[in-house]
């Protein structure tokens, strides 16, 4: 079966292209031990653009994308954030992006395999129709089940299901590690049981939290921390003007403080962070993609004793001096992805959120006329919106009443 859409390819001059594509429908499994299923047909309705898409496009330009193509193909239909319509079930769905032969997609091991719709080994959402494992077409909340047209505001919010699910998983990891890292300190301090001490450590690891980088990833992680640890002190670090819409929105959603570092050296940034927090950080979340993250945390001593460094950026090389690192009992972790339960929780949170306010649309015809120009000069350029999305099939979208 053929369809029309955008796809990545290895091509220095044209790494992304719109045109006719031959669809494939191999059997896939959601998790290890589950049955293999052919995909069921679905119509992508509304899609968001993700920074991962941009990185994949650049890989295609550098002729490094072959390992990401579906088996036997020389292209990858992109897109992994959005809503689809499942005609055989007359409902909307969110595609659970990651599946494969693994027990837990957040704990992928060497003897396991995986695929990710729109990212790695499986075609994604930027097309008129595609096939998806029926076990991986997640339901929307009940009040949306009977709808045949989805309100635009809800579609915008649900374009964040994938990255917000990552944030739900990040909270789980930070809580798990925070409890394990410091429960013995809490047990000694409060003369309490191990169970009580783990609860205290799980909460107290967020006492002074730095989120370095103010994009959607950092915002979602901060949102999850605030929802689950209301007494946490959260400080965003970014280069945007403190009065801009992005900063004001992020502060409103999370109740966080903000530090603009546009004119500050790394040393000055570190001093300002410690001053604003009235001490060194207990949790440092790096989301900026900059190597300055770990230098400020470790070299400039923003991360305090017994603190955790969550390396969520892709790209930076994390380094540290082993002497203070060991004596200050720091912990570094890095893990990405999520399980189905995380995405289902994300869906429930997002449909009643304000995140539609930061999504701006690009016209589909403008996008498909020149996808490369759209990516480089409209969607991922300096001054671009926090989030750009496109209505791919307007027959299934309605304006809010």
């Amino acid at each position: 079966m053929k369809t029309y859409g955008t796809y990545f390819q290895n091509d220095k001059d044209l790494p992304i292209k719109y045109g006719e594509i031959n669809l494939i429908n191999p059997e896939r499994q959601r998790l290890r031990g589950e049955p293999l299923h052919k995909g069921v047909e679905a119509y992508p309705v509304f899609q968001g653009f993700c920074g991962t898409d941009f990185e994949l496009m650049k890989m295609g330009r550098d002729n490094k994308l072959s390992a990401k193509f579906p088996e036997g193909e020389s292209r990858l239909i992109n897109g992994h954030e959005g809503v689809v319509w499942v005609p055989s079930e007359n409902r909307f769905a969110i595609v659970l992006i990651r599946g494969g032969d693994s027990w837990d997609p957040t704990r992928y091991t060497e003897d396991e395999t995986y695929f990710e719709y729109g990212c790695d080994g499986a075609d994604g959402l930027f097309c008129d129709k595609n096939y998806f494992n029926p076990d991986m077409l997640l339901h929307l909340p009940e009040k949306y089940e009977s709808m045949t047209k989805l309100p635009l505001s809800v579609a915008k919010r649900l374009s964040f299901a994938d990255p917000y699910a990552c944030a739900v998983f990040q909270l789980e990891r930070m809580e798990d590690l925070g409890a394990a890292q410091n429960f013995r300190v809490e047990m000694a301090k409060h003369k309490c049981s191990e169970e009580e001490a783990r609860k205290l450590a799980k909460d107290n690891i967020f006492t002074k939290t730095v989120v370095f980088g103010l994009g959607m990833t950092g915002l979602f992680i901060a949102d999850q921390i605030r929802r689950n640890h209301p007494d946490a002190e959260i400080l965003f670090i970014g280069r945007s003007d403190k009065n801009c819409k992005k900063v004001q929105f992020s502060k409103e959603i999370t109740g966080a403080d903000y530090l603009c570092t546009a004119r500050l050296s790394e040393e000055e940034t570190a001093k300002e962070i410690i001053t604003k927090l009235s001490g060194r950080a207990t949790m440092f979340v790096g989301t900026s993609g900059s190597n300055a993250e770990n230098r400020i945390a470790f070299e400039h001593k923003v991360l305090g004793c017994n603190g955790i460094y969550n390396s969520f950026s892709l790209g930076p090389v994390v380094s540290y001096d082993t002497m203070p690192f060991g004596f200050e009992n720091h912990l570094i972790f890095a893990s990405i992805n999520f399980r189905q339960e995380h995405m289902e929780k994300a869906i429930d949170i997002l449909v009643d959120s304000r995140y539609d306010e930061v999504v701006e649309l690009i016209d589909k015809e403008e996008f498909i006329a020149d996808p490369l120009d759209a990516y480089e000069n409209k969607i991922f350029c300096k001054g671009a919106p926090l989030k750009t999305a496109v209505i791919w099939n307007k027959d299934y979208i309605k304006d809010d009443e």
Side-chain angles (χ1 to χ4, degrees):
M1 185 180 293
K2 296 184 181 296
T3 191
Y4 281 87
T6 61
Y7 55 93
F8 295 132
Q9 58 184 3
N10 283 322
D11 190 303
K12 180 180 179 181
D13 299 316
L14 198 63
I16 184 171
K17 183 179 180 180
Y18 176 79
E20 189 176 50
I21 315 160
N22 183 53
L23 288 178
I24 59 174
N25 189 15
E27 292 185 331
R28 302 186 189 279
Q29 66 186 133
R30 179 176 55 178
L31 291 172
R32 177 166 284 196
E34 294 188 353
L36 290 160
H37 290 302
K38 286 275 190 179
V40 299
E41 188 176 89
Y43 304 150
V45 172
F46 188 93
Q47 287 97 271
F49 296 89
C50 174
T52 300
D53 301 337
F54 194 44
E55 293 303 315
L56 289 169
M57 189 194 79
K58 289 189 285 187
M59 288 174 65
R61 175 166 276 158
D62 294 335
N63 197 37
K64 296 179 178 179
L65 205 56
S66 297
K68 301 291 186 181
F69 296 146
E71 186 176 356
E73 301 297 320
S74 59
R75 85 295 173 278
L76 172 70
I77 300 174
N78 57 302
H80 57 279
E81 299 181 356
V83 185
V84 302
W85 173 258
V86 187
S88 61
E89 300 179 24
N90 291 311
R91 68 175 179 94
F92 293 103
I94 300 294
V95 180
L96 178 62
I97 297 303
R98 186 172 177 133
D101 186 22
S102 62
W103 295 115
D104 181 341
T106 69
R107 301 292 192 279
Y108 171 75
T109 62
E110 295 83 358
D111 67 337
E112 297 177 344
T113 61
Y114 73 92
F115 66 89
E116 292 181 328
Y117 286 116
C119 297
D120 198 334
D123 289 325
L125 302 180
F126 276 97
C127 52
D128 294 344
K129 57 187 173 184
N130 206 345
Y131 298 99
F132 303 100
N133 183 318
D135 294 337
M136 299 175 69
L137 292 169
L138 305 185
H139 286 259
L140 273 57
E142 186 176 355
K143 66 181 177 180
Y144 301 103
E145 283 287 284
S146 60
M147 288 187 178
T148 56
K149 286 182 178 288
L150 196 64
L152 178 58
S153 63
V154 176
K156 287 181 175 181
R157 296 167 194 160
L158 289 172
S159 68
F160 292 116
D162 181 282
Y164 200 97
C166 284
V168 177
F169 171 54
Q170 288 303 300
L171 180 75
E172 176 184 280
R173 288 290 282 154
M174 289 186 287
E175 289 178 338
D176 287 352
L177 293 171
Q181 170 81 340
N182 290 327
F183 81 90
R184 294 189 183 280
V185 175
E186 301 289 356
M187 195 161 54
K189 184 190 301 183
H190 297 282
K191 311 300 184 198
C192 60
S193 68
E194 179 177 329
E195 182 180 3
E196 292 171 314
R198 286 184 179 274
K199 289 179 181 177
L200 287 169
K202 176 179 173 179
D203 191 47
N204 289 340
I205 197 64
F206 300 106
T207 299
K208 298 180 185 298
T209 298
V210 171
V211 178
F212 201 98
L214 188 54
M216 294 311 299
T217 298
L219 172 54
F220 290 155
I221 292 175
D223 186 8
Q224 271 295 287
I225 293 172
R226 175 63 69 216
R227 287 172 183 267
N228 293 276
H229 301 275
D231 294 329
E233 185 176 1
I234 303 171
L235 176 64
F236 283 119
I237 311 298
R239 299 183 62 82
S240 301
D241 184 271
K242 66 180 181 179
N243 296 313
C244 76
K245 178 181 176 181
K246 174 173 73 171
V247 172
Q248 293 303 311
F249 180 83
S250 300
K251 290 173 66 177
E252 289 173 15
I253 292 294
T254 64
D257 198 358
Y258 176 72
L259 173 64
C260 174
T261 64
R263 294 179 176 83
L264 299 179
S265 67
E266 289 182 8
E267 183 177 4
E268 290 169 333
T269 296
K271 288 180 179 178
E272 287 289 331
I273 292 172
I274 292 171
T275 297
K276 277 187 169 290
L277 290 176
S278 299
R280 295 165 72 189
T282 56
M283 174 68 68
F284 192 108
V285 184
T287 69
S288 74
S290 165
N291 279 309
E293 294 174 350
N294 70 89
R295 291 196 295 266
I296 287 169
F298 298 116
E299 291 180 28
H300 298 289
K301 296 187 176 299
V302 164
L303 186 62
C305 291
N306 307 311
I308 294 179
Y309 184 91
N310 180 351
S311 179
F312 197 73
S313 294
L314 294 177
V317 176
V318 177
S319 62
Y320 56 89
D321 185 339
T322 57
M323 181 70 79
F325 178 82
F327 277 95
E328 294 190 350
N329 194 37
H330 288 149
L331 171 65
I332 298 174
F333 84 93
S335 54
I336 301 175
N337 290 308
F338 50 84
R339 298 188 300 277
Q340 180 172 328
E341 66 192 271
H342 298 135
M343 181 168 268
E344 289 170 338
K345 185 173 183 178
I347 292 168
D348 288 339
I349 291 171
L350 288 168
V351 292
D352 295 319
S353 74
R354 292 177 51 196
Y355 285 116
D356 57 296
E357 296 177 26
V358 297
V359 180
E360 297 187 20
L361 298 178
I362 185 172
D363 181 74
K364 180 185 176 183
E365 297 306 315
E366 177 186 6
F367 171 60
I368 65 176
D370 193 341
L372 180 60
D373 178 71
Y375 266 66
E376 295 184 327
N377 299 312
K378 297 181 178 69
I379 300 168
F380 296 108
C381 62
K382 185 177 180 180
L386 255 178
K387 185 71 169 182
T388 302
V390 60
I391 300 174
W392 197 266
N393 192 325
K394 63 184 179 180
D395 292 341
Y396 295 96
I397 294 290
K398 66 178 180 179
D399 291 330
D400 291 85
E401 298 175 356

